[in-house]
Amino acid sequence: MDLAAAEKGLGSNPGTIMSWESGKADPTLAGLQKLSSLYRRPLAALLLGAPPADPLRPPDYRTFDGAQQTLSRDSLVAVRRAQWIVEKYKDLELPIRADPSVALESAGAADEKMETVAEALRQRLRVSLSDQQAWADPYEALRVWRERVESIGIIVLQLPMPLAEIRGFSLASSLPRLICLNRSDAIRARSFTLFHEVGHVLIGSGGLCLPFDSIARSGAAAEERQCNDLAGAVLVPENQLRALVAGRELDANIEDASLESLAGRFQVSKEVLWYRLRRLDLISEQTFSEKWPTWRKRWGHTPTSGGAAETAVQRTIRQLGRGLVQPVLQAEQVGAVPAQQAAELLGIRAKDLAALRVFAEL
Amino acid sequence: MAVRPVRRIYVLDSSPLIDLSLGMSRLFPIAGVWERLAEMVKAGQIKMPQEALNEIRDEDLTAWVKRQAGMVVPTADVIASAMEVVRETGLCDREKTQTDADPFVVALADVLRETAEAPLLEDIDVVVVTQELPKPSKLNIPSVCEARGLPVVTLSGFFELEGITAALSSIP
């Protein structure tokens, strides 16, 4: 937020904040409290001798050259909250599982081609194709995929952010690793973003991403392409896709409904299926390019799902996931973490911890 | 030479009240604790900074604290001291997106230690009560209090100092 926007939010005259910062005038307590609310920082942080340095953001893969772009206030707050959760998790000495990339390497996937890595990851996540085909809908798919990713020690959040700006991000510079999906995104797109970010975690860099948007973008970073390939290969295994489309004529005239029917077998979107067909050379670049832009226009308008009549406890589980909620509750239950700190980390009232424990199946 | 009696003033973080309101299932089951706390507030022995009250999101507990006249100390009364604490010690969770009462708890204890007036022939001892535990090389309320020579106890330590042997009852 720039000074002009802050002064507007504060309802003060131009130059007011500058005069506080330069020491020409003393801020009022009411002014500081408003600033604290505007910046989503504690009042105490405004008492420091110098502004707190922003923590290092993960690489920004939304640009061609990896340069950091400006983030809106909502996205910045989501990134800061995720970074704070990781720091607090370590600070409270909550249990940290093995590094997920080590777990995958032990499955023999290091330095193998993407399909092999994806298969090793699916085995590690204990998801068979028959499991995947038995899921009732994409909501169940995302729920199970998320729980399995959490089971290998990755925290998976879902927070609201402007969709055109960011679809997901990951923090991988220290343990625990964390992935954040955009809660405003379409449900199938979130599953794709989940495994795209798992790719970043396994590579070890983390990132701020617009995975779908990078698919057809010339000049997208190599790491983005790798992560998209991993996401596609995990969600739509090669052998099964080849078997499914064997003998079919696949061209740009194929009806969306037919593609959706095929995609439904894997609980993915038609866009992911189309992308996989191209990556496996089952359609030509020209065929891919004829259809892709017609869908591209609609991505910014995907409806937001859910949210009606949701309790605070349900919202906490959905936003923070069992991978975070369970260890916090377990530590609180044995007295290793005060209830106030547990509630604060989970963003709920302390008296809701008991209900959350029931929901989190503890 | 006779030992002068000590009058203790307790500065509460939000965590002990939250634990107490949750029933303290692991500790001290007895009735009457809230009434006892209310008496101590009346006697000027329990204080809490406004920022700590802001951390309490449970309506019943917030209402109880607000009913205790004189318990909550306005932020304006401690902000200068809080700035000293933050700048001298770095005690501030700067990336938190909500309120952080920790430096205000220490600041209020500092202020009371400087300004509280003891009754005739008594000494004043300002004690901080928090559920945070001291941990090696960790910057938190207990470590900062220790460095400033401020006694710090948990809720169970507070009960022990006050001779309260049990305590479980709902917020009145």
Side-chain angles (χ1 to χ4, degrees):
Chain A
M1 184 181 290
D2 61 25
L3 271 182
E7 278 171 344
K8 191 177 170 194
L10 199 63
S12 62
N13 295 325
T16 304
I17 297 177
M18 188 66 89
S19 67
W20 293 348
E21 287 186 350
S22 65
K24 283 183 186 163
D26 289 329
T28 59
L29 176 58
L32 284 177
Q33 284 167 331
K34 273 191 183 175
L35 272 186
S36 154
S37 167
L38 270 175
Y39 291 145
R40 298 283 300 272
R41 297 260 185 199
L43 179 61
L46 301 179
L47 305 178
L48 289 160
D54 276 334
L56 200 59
R57 271 195 235 156
D60 195 337
Y61 290 110
R62 301 168 304 145
T63 53
F64 291 102
D65 56 2
Q68 290 276 347
Q69 281 187 314
T70 309
L71 286 176
S72 66
R73 180 174 175 271
D74 286 348
S75 297
L76 265 179
V77 168
V79 173
R80 268 186 46 217
R81 185 176 178 199
Q83 288 174 319
W84 180 75
I85 284 172
V86 168
E87 288 309 309
K88 201 75 186 168
Y89 195 100
K90 289 189 284 191
D91 190 43
L92 294 176
E93 298 172 358
L94 295 168
I96 292 182
R97 294 179 191 160
D99 184 343
S101 57
V102 172
L104 195 61
E105 278 165 21
S106 66
D111 303 323
E112 296 288 345
K113 71 170 196 159
M114 198 56 77
E115 303 299 332
T116 313
V117 176
E119 182 50 36
L121 183 55
R122 285 179 65 101
Q123 283 180 17
R124 174 81 192 155
L125 300 178
R126 295 176 288 107
V127 175
S128 68
L129 190 71
S130 55
D131 292 335
Q132 193 177 354
Q133 289 178 336
W135 293 337
D137 54 37
Y139 291 91
E140 186 179 2
L142 179 61
R143 183 179 58 76
V144 178
W145 282 128
R146 179 191 197 181
E147 284 174 5
R148 298 301 166 87
V149 168
E150 289 170 337
S151 76
I152 59 168
I154 302 174
I155 294 170
V156 182
L157 311 183
Q158 295 195 81
L159 302 176
M161 293 172 278
L163 194 53
E165 187 174 75
I166 191 163
R167 283 177 183 259
F169 65 84
S170 47
L171 306 177
S173 59
S174 66
L175 294 172
R177 314 290 194 218
L178 180 146
I179 287 171
C180 182
L181 309 176
N182 191 333
R183 199 182 80 189
S184 307
D185 208 350
I187 194 77
R188 289 186 177 93
R190 274 184 260 173
S191 286
F192 186 83
T193 302
L194 173 64
F195 284 102
H196 175 99
E197 298 304 331
V198 167
H200 281 296
V201 166
L202 297 181
I203 290 167
S205 68
L208 303 173
C209 305
L210 281 165
F212 251 58
D213 309 66
S214 66
I215 281 179
R217 193 176 67 197
S218 60
E223 190 165 322
E224 280 301 87
R225 290 200 302 274
Q226 271 183 313
C227 293
N228 281 338
D229 282 348
L230 178 71
V234 170
L235 294 170
V236 186
E238 178 179 9
N239 292 343
Q240 283 73 24
L241 181 58
R242 286 189 186 280
L244 194 63
V245 300
R248 275 179 181 257
E249 195 173 325
L250 295 166
D251 60 33
N253 294 322
I254 188 169
E255 298 279 337
D256 280 7
S258 300
L259 276 178
E260 275 164 7
S261 168
L262 286 174
R265 304 287 291 270
F266 302 98
Q267 296 295 358
V268 298
S269 65
K270 61 182 183 305
E271 289 90 343
V272 168
L273 190 88
W274 197 240
Y275 168 66
R276 276 296 277 163
L277 290 170
R278 174 65 206 120
R279 295 301 290 159
L280 295 173
D281 227 9
L282 293 165
I283 57 174
S284 69
E285 183 63 34
Q286 187 185 348
T287 302
F288 173 80
S289 301
E290 280 176 36
K291 226 167 172 46
W292 190 261
T294 63
W295 298 325
R296 171 71 182 82
K297 288 174 191 158
R298 295 202 297 270
W299 289 346
H301 303 285
T302 42
T304 307
S305 60
E310 199 177 38
T311 65
V313 163
Q314 289 169 321
R315 187 170 58 248
T316 302
I317 293 279
R318 181 169 55 75
Q319 289 194 352
L320 305 185
R322 286 181 169 77
L324 174 64
V325 170
Q326 285 180 337
V328 174
L329 291 178
Q330 280 161 351
E332 191 273 329
Q333 198 162 24
V334 299
V337 170
Q340 181 261 332
Q341 292 198 346
E344 190 175 80
L345 179 52
L346 299 176
I348 57 166
R349 298 175 304 181
K351 72 178 181 187
D352 289 333
L353 287 170
L356 188 59
R357 196 167 285 123
V358 173
F359 257 83
E361 295 157 14
L362 284 178
Chain B
M1 192 174 131
V3 176
R4 283 159 65 95
V6 173
R7 178 183 176 80
R8 292 192 187 91
I9 298 177
Y10 296 95
V11 175
L12 266 53
D13 180 20
S14 59
S15 55
L17 281 184
I18 287 172
D19 269 6
L20 193 60
S21 73
L22 292 179
M24 290 284 294
S25 56
R26 293 177 291 276
L27 291 166
F28 303 105
I30 339 179
V33 69
W34 294 98
E35 289 76 7
R36 177 72 183 273
L37 291 180
E39 285 166 16
M40 291 179 72
V41 172
K42 265 189 199 162
Q45 279 191 276
I46 291 183
K47 301 283 181 185
M48 168 182 252
Q50 175 68 45
E51 292 294 306
L53 174 59
N54 295 348
E55 282 187 344
I56 298 174
R57 296 168 64 187
D58 297 354
E59 299 85 353
D60 294 347
L61 183 55
T62 300
W64 183 87
V65 173
K66 285 182 173 173
R67 285 201 300 274
Q68 312 310 311
M71 177 174 176
V72 177
V73 176
T75 301
D77 293 358
V78 292
I79 194 157
S81 175
M83 188 157 78
E84 278 179 30
V85 171
V86 166
R87 293 187 179 189
E88 284 173 12
T89 68
L91 179 65
C92 168
D93 192 346
R94 48 199 82 187
E95 294 309 318
K96 202 171 162 185
T97 52
Q98 310 145 29
T99 187
D100 177 22
D102 291 5
F104 290 90
V105 171
V106 178
L108 177 56
D110 274 350
V111 168
L112 289 173
R113 191 165 54 172
E114 292 299 316
T115 61
E117 289 179 9
L120 201 59
L121 302 178
E122 282 188 13
D123 283 334
I124 290 280
D125 206 357
V126 177
V127 179
V128 172
V129 187
T130 179
Q131 296 297 80
E132 285 187 33
L133 298 172
K135 286 183 182 170
S137 71
K138 187 179 165 186
L139 189 63
N140 62 9
I141 291 179
S143 68
V144 170
C145 284
E146 190 185 344
R148 298 171 94 77
L150 283 164
V152 56
V153 295
T154 60
L155 192 52
S156 54
F158 163 77
F159 286 147
E160 204 173 309
L161 284 173
E162 287 303 307
I164 300 174
T165 51
L168 180 64
S169 58
S170 58
I171 301 167

